[in-house]
Amino acid sequence: MEFRRDFFEDEVRNGYYVPGIMKRCWAASLEILLELDRICKKYDIPYYIDYGTLLGAKRNGGFIPWDDDIDISMNREDFNRFREVVEEEIPPELYFNCVEKSKDYAFIIGCLGFHEVSLDENRLSRYHEFPFLVSIDICINDSIAKDQELENVRESELVILGQLMLKVLNNERSGKNFEKSMRLVETNLKVHFNRKEKLEPQIYRLLNRICKEYEGDKGRKDLYAWIPQILQASHLNYPQEDVFPLSTIQFEGIEFPAPKNVDKMLRIEYGDYEKPSKSGGSHGYPCFSKYEKDFIALVGGEDKWHFRYRFKKEDLQHEKQENVRDMVFSLLRALGLQEEAMVARKNDYSFLQESLANGQDTALAIGNTIEQRLGEGTESVKLLSQYCEAVFHAYEKAKQGNSPEEEIKKLGEIRRECETALSKEWKKTMLILLDKAKNFPSIEGFYKKMQEQEDWEVLLMPIPYFTRKGSGEFSEEFIDTEAFPKEYSYVDYKSFAFDTVLPDCIVMNSPYDSCNMVYSIDPFFYSENMKKYTKNLFYIPWFVTDEIIWGAEEDEKAVVIMDYYACQPGLAHADHSFVQSEEIRKTYIEKLSAFAGEESREQWEKKIVAAGSCLLGQAEELAKQVLACMEE
């Protein structure tokens, strides 16, 4: 299956941040689904996409942004046929499992997916560079009993079993109460648990037996159900007239089987499904995160794993250095202090002569530096020439034993004029680093507002970025210079002398440094390196999300996903990060304090600034906040 390159990039869908590695997970899952689809077509086995996958197809045309797997459903008799043929058909990198197949399998659903975490080049190439485990969930619908009394008995059996399952899931496996629960199940369901074997697989085998109790002639043909739902005190009963004959529906641009009446099926499963809900808990989310340790072992240890930021408190510090412009203005301020000292000691002629001689040398040095940077003929250099002439007259007067008080006053006037002229001629420099052209709208309005500032020169610099292989190695290199708007000028990153210019401010749009598994900017432009070249390193996100409230159940998954864009080196190295709202600022501070340690909270409270976003039409407020945070 072919995807556009930008499909795999980090993205905000429906207000929810989707990291690029999740996109690769989706793509790998789709390839597995296509393999299942091929097998089912070959053997004429009905199946259909269901649950979150069907909901995403209906509402979004593809994955729900906060979903991380694919769900399909089959009726029991169709699943039995699939189970008989699947292992002969699937390629070696895939495996199939279910309760009937494996004694140690502890799930009620079947699954088709990868064996293991792998860096095999063929597998990575076929499955879109996704190295982790992922599988498709196969939900098995069973017949409802013809006799409602029998169905009531099954429901009571499930309630008894559910009490034991709850204790197992909550790890309450010791004491008399647990043994009592086991004996209650054994007595009522006529089963014996082997205490020497793992209990969970035995429970799921028993659950599976109960689910399929009325298959074949013992059950109704017109009504099937997802029986395990009874464990959650509800029913998912599917009239077969609403399922068959199957229809099709688009999912990520591909036609897949769907129930005949998609709307009714979704209302059975979700009620008012048209209203998005992010609830569902964050345990085990995203699905591939639990395999990170296996991947680290595969690549050779922690020192070769760069994709999860390891916070160091030193990263919050920024050792700053002056640039040439700073030094010139420092020298001008030093001349002002010298003038004050001369006024205070206006009758100390020896001191005055020495100070005036030093002032002459300083003024000449300033003038030479300005000409080297700005060329000849500037107003500030002309004023410095006048300053030197006034110094000469003051020196001669002091040499003759007369107080040069008026001349010193004149020096101050000329110097202040020079500072004003120089601030217009030699503007402060802001360098905005641009990686992907598609993210330019997040910075364009801010750039325009900063151009209105008379004392700032604002430069746009497109920089290279790379896609990564599944192993983390760099793959293709890109630079989007030609894709940016033509009405602006751009600086060539190859010829820009960072160590000479030392911009007053560097603005970055990418916070990840090496910690994104799918892409990377050129390592030279990582935040850890950029802060060596400026005294103001700022981060402006390329995206906005829906508001995320810390502690809100609906936002649990959104908070987890902040690992992929908030708990990143760029936010630690940046002097300030400018986020979209006060509510988001609070959530960032909570998330980062939990990530880096509570002792870091005060630092995050200073670093994270609620400033709006160009994407929300708030460029003016953003520019205002940036200027307010600027360190002179």
Side-chain angles (χ1 to χ4, degrees):
M1 182 178 178
E2 293 294 326
F3 292 91
R4 296 192 325 270
R5 175 169 60 87
D6 62 358
F7 174 84
F8 296 103
E9 295 177 354
D10 293 48
E11 174 191 1
V12 174
R13 281 195 182 189
N14 302 106
Y16 188 89
Y17 190 99
V18 184
I21 190 64
M22 181 68 79
K23 300 285 203 64
R24 287 186 175 177
C25 177
W26 288 354
S29 300
L30 278 169
E31 294 290 357
I32 298 170
L33 178 58
L34 286 170
E35 186 63 25
L36 181 145
D37 183 77
R38 179 190 66 79
I39 296 168
C40 288
K41 284 177 178 174
K42 179 176 179 179
Y43 292 95
D44 195 24
I45 299 172
Y47 84 94
Y48 53 91
I49 62 171
D50 204 355
Y51 299 103
T53 307
L54 183 62
L55 179 60
K58 176 70 172 175
R59 203 169 59 197
N60 306 94
F63 283 97
I64 297 171
W66 45 91
D67 204 0
D68 58 354
D69 63 0
I70 287 178
D71 307 300
I72 71 156
S73 287
M74 293 181 179
N75 285 351
R76 174 70 65 176
E77 58 269 27
D78 300 318
F79 177 75
N80 289 340
R81 290 173 55 213
F82 179 77
R83 184 162 55 89
E84 290 173 1
V85 301
V86 60
E87 292 187 276
E88 298 174 5
E89 292 286 342
I90 55 176
E93 67 272 9
L94 297 182
Y95 85 108
F96 166 76
N97 213 344
C98 65
V99 169
E100 288 96 336
K101 179 177 181 292
S102 173
K103 185 178 179 181
D104 293 325
Y105 192 71
F107 300 95
I108 193 57
I109 58 174
C111 71
L112 178 66
F114 294 135
H115 286 284
E116 58 191 355
V117 173
S118 174
L119 292 177
D120 177 78
E121 289 186 6
N122 291 328
R123 184 186 126 174
L124 290 175
S125 176
R126 179 172 180 180
Y127 296 96
H128 307 285
E129 303 296 330
F130 186 69
F132 298 108
L133 270 69
V134 70
S135 60
I136 290 174
D137 293 339
I138 306 173
C139 302
I140 308 155
N141 293 326
D142 285 285
S143 298
I144 295 294
K146 291 179 179 178
D147 185 338
Q148 185 58 44
E149 286 299 317
L150 292 176
E151 196 59 47
N152 293 341
V153 170
R154 172 159 64 179
E155 187 164 336
S156 65
E157 290 175 343
L158 286 169
V159 169
I160 294 169
L161 181 60
Q163 292 170 352
L164 177 62
M165 291 182 75
L166 188 62
K167 284 183 167 60
V168 171
L169 291 172
N170 292 334
N171 208 25
E172 300 170 3
R173 306 186 187 204
S174 60
K176 293 181 179 179
N177 284 338
F178 185 71
E179 181 62 29
K180 184 178 178 181
S181 295
M182 288 184 66
R183 292 191 182 280
L184 181 65
V185 171
E186 290 175 320
T187 301
N188 284 274
L189 276 61
K190 298 179 176 56
V191 67
H192 174 71
F193 292 119
N194 187 334
R195 268 62 170 178
K196 295 180 180 180
E197 294 182 359
K198 292 180 181 178
L199 182 58
E200 288 95 326
Q202 297 181 70
I203 289 175
Y204 279 102
R205 288 198 296 273
L206 177 57
L207 175 59
N208 189 61
R209 190 193 81 184
I210 296 171
C211 288
K212 65 179 185 177
E213 192 167 0
Y214 302 114
E215 64 179 324
D217 294 336
K218 293 181 285 185
R220 293 171 59 175
K221 300 300 181 187
D222 64 326
L223 189 64
Y224 279 63
W226 171 240
I227 301 298
Q229 190 67 24
I230 294 171
L231 294 169
Q232 298 179 27
S234 62
H235 297 79
L236 293 179
N237 294 342
Y238 303 120
Q240 295 301 279
E241 64 182 8
D242 293 316
V243 177
F244 297 102
L246 295 174
S247 63
T248 61
I249 195 168
Q250 284 261 330
F251 185 79
E252 295 295 344
I254 308 171
E255 292 280 341
F256 287 107
K260 173 186 172 183
N261 191 334
V262 171
D263 179 77
K264 185 169 181 180
M265 291 288 283
L266 289 174
R267 293 196 184 282
I268 290 170
E269 292 171 351
Y270 296 102
D272 183 12
Y273 69 86
E274 290 160 327
K275 181 182 178 182
S277 173
K278 300 172 191 172
S279 59
S282 60
H283 180 70
Y285 175 81
C287 62
F288 48 82
S289 61
K290 57 184 171 231
Y291 304 114
E292 197 171 278
K293 288 183 179 178
D294 296 334
F295 189 90
I296 291 171
L298 196 62
V299 298
E302 290 278 354
D303 59 327
K304 295 184 179 179
W305 168 261
H306 309 293
F307 310 115
R308 182 73 72 177
Y309 173 46
R310 298 178 185 85
F311 171 77
K312 304 186 296 292
K313 63 181 180 180
E314 296 80 18
D315 292 347
L316 296 172
Q317 308 306 316
H318 186 178
E319 188 175 331
K320 305 180 182 187
Q321 57 179 314
E322 288 186 326
N323 58 24
V324 177
R325 183 183 183 278
D326 293 331
M327 289 186 276
V328 166
F329 276 93
S330 292
L331 288 172
L332 285 168
R333 287 191 291 272
L335 286 177
L337 294 173
Q338 195 172 56
E339 291 157 14
E340 292 175 7
M342 288 191 290
V343 169
R345 298 172 65 177
K346 59 186 177 183
N347 296 318
D348 186 343
Y349 300 120
S350 176
F351 170 76
L352 290 175
Q353 290 177 70
E354 182 180 355
S355 297
L356 288 164
N358 290 336
Q360 176 103 336
D361 291 341
T362 300
L364 288 170
I366 292 172
N368 289 334
T369 303
I370 293 172
E371 286 189 336
Q372 288 173 11
R373 182 55 63 95
L374 303 180
E376 297 180 354
T378 60
E379 180 66 20
S380 53
V381 170
K382 290 178 184 177
L383 288 164
L384 284 167
S385 296
Q386 294 176 25
Y387 189 91
C388 289
E389 187 176 341
V391 166
F392 173 76
H393 291 303
Y395 183 90
E396 289 298 315
K397 204 167 184 179
K399 186 177 179 181
Q400 295 168 8
N402 298 316
S403 174
E405 189 172 355
E406 288 301 316
E407 286 77 3
I408 294 171
K409 183 179 178 183
K410 182 68 174 175
L411 288 176
E413 293 172 358
I414 297 171
R415 175 186 49 77
R416 285 188 287 274
E417 278 188 67
C418 180
E419 288 178 347
T420 301
L422 186 58
S423 66
K424 294 177 181 178
E425 293 170 342
W426 194 344
K427 298 181 179 183
K428 290 175 281 189
T429 303
M430 174 180 285
L431 180 65
I432 301 177
L433 304 178
L434 307 169
D435 53 333
K436 297 173 185 173
K438 72 173 189 176
N439 295 335
F440 188 60
S442 67
I443 213 82
E444 184 175 15
F446 167 74
Y447 168 66
K448 289 180 177 179
K449 288 296 177 184
M450 286 303 302
Q451 280 190 309
E452 296 173 5
Q453 302 296 317
E454 291 184 356
D455 55 344
W456 280 93
E457 179 185 21
V458 188
L459 307 175
L460 298 173
M461 178 183 285
I463 61 174
Y465 63 94
F466 302 84
T467 55
R468 290 187 186 271
K469 298 179 181 179
S471 62
E473 298 173 82
F474 287 171
S475 180
E476 294 182 84
E477 179 180 359
F478 301 91
I479 185 162
D480 288 358
T481 304
E482 295 303 315
F484 285 100
K486 299 294 188 286
E487 63 262 34
Y488 305 125
S489 298
Y490 301 94
V491 177
D492 183 1
Y493 76 95
K494 293 178 182 177
S495 59
F496 190 83
F498 277 85
D499 53 354
T500 301
V501 177
L502 296 174
D504 297 273
C505 178
I506 295 178
V507 176
M508 56 185 181
N509 216 202
S510 170
Y512 315 104
D513 286 7
S514 67
C515 296
N516 188 307
M517 287 194 70
V518 170
Y519 113 110
S520 171
I521 58 175
D522 187 300
F524 176 79
F525 297 99
Y526 286 172
S527 60
E528 184 174 16
N529 194 45
M530 285 295 98
K531 72 180 183 182
K532 299 174 185 175
Y533 298 108
T534 185
K535 59 179 181 285
N536 294 289
L537 181 64
F538 291 165
Y539 165 54
I540 296 176
W542 56 265
F543 61 91
V544 294
T545 66
D546 286 346
E547 293 293 284
I548 302 170
I549 300 173
W550 184 263
E553 182 181 352
E554 185 172 288
D555 288 329
E556 283 183 12
K557 286 186 175 180
V559 168
V560 170
I561 286 296
M562 289 179 76
D563 288 345
Y564 294 88
Y565 65 86
C567 301
Q568 296 293 318
L571 282 94
H573 293 300
D575 296 292
H576 295 287
S577 296
F578 299 89
V579 299
Q580 68 194 56
S581 69
E582 184 58 39
E583 192 64 59
I584 287 288
R585 174 181 178 268
K586 292 176 184 176
T587 301
Y588 265 79
I589 291 169
E590 293 296 337
K591 178 73 176 181
L592 288 163
S593 298
F595 167 69
E598 187 60 31
E599 65 276 8
S600 67
R601 177 180 292 273
E602 186 176 346
Q603 291 272 32
W604 300 120
E605 288 175 345
K606 293 176 182 176
K607 282 177 174 281
I608 309 299
V609 180
S613 168
C614 295
L615 298 172
L616 300 174
Q618 298 165 325
E620 186 171 354
E621 177 63 20
L622 176 57
K624 179 181 175 182
Q625 291 292 341
V626 166
L627 288 169
C629 291
M630 201 73 66
E631 181 174 315
E632 294 294 341

